[in-house]
Amino acid sequence: RPPNAFFLFRNALNSHLAARNLKVPQISMAAGELWSAASEDIKSQYTKLQEIAKVLHLEMHPGYVYRP
């Protein structure tokens, strides 16, 4: 399943904060707060990355259908 914009943001934050030895819940809480406070410009950049990830996912997994 291709990642959404928030998940891409959280992954970028995770790789940035990895050296600080924070636990996953701490990073998740920080990501949620930062995403809520983020400007529309930042969110639109991650939305563009989401569209790229979606295209790449479709190329790697043609015919993929999400089934929860």
Side-chain angles (χ1 to χ4, degrees):
R1 180 170 165 187
N4 64 26
F6 173 73
F7 193 74
L8 292 168
F9 175 79
R10 193 206 173 288
N11 283 345
L13 184 64
N14 187 40
S15 63
H16 180 70
L17 296 177
R20 295 185 183 206
N21 296 324
L22 295 175
K23 295 185 183 342
V24 172
Q26 293 170 315
I27 294 172
S28 294
M29 286 181 62
E33 292 171 8
L34 289 171
W35 183 255
S36 294
S39 68
E40 287 303 316
D41 183 46
I42 291 173
K43 289 182 179 181
S44 69
Q45 290 176 0
Y46 279 96
T47 301
K48 289 176 187 175
L49 289 174
Q50 170 186 322
E51 294 303 319
I52 293 169
K54 183 178 179 180
V55 169
L56 291 173
H57 184 269
L58 287 174
E59 288 177 3
M60 291 172 26
H61 307 283
Y64 172 82
V65 177
Y66 173 65
R67 294 184 190 110

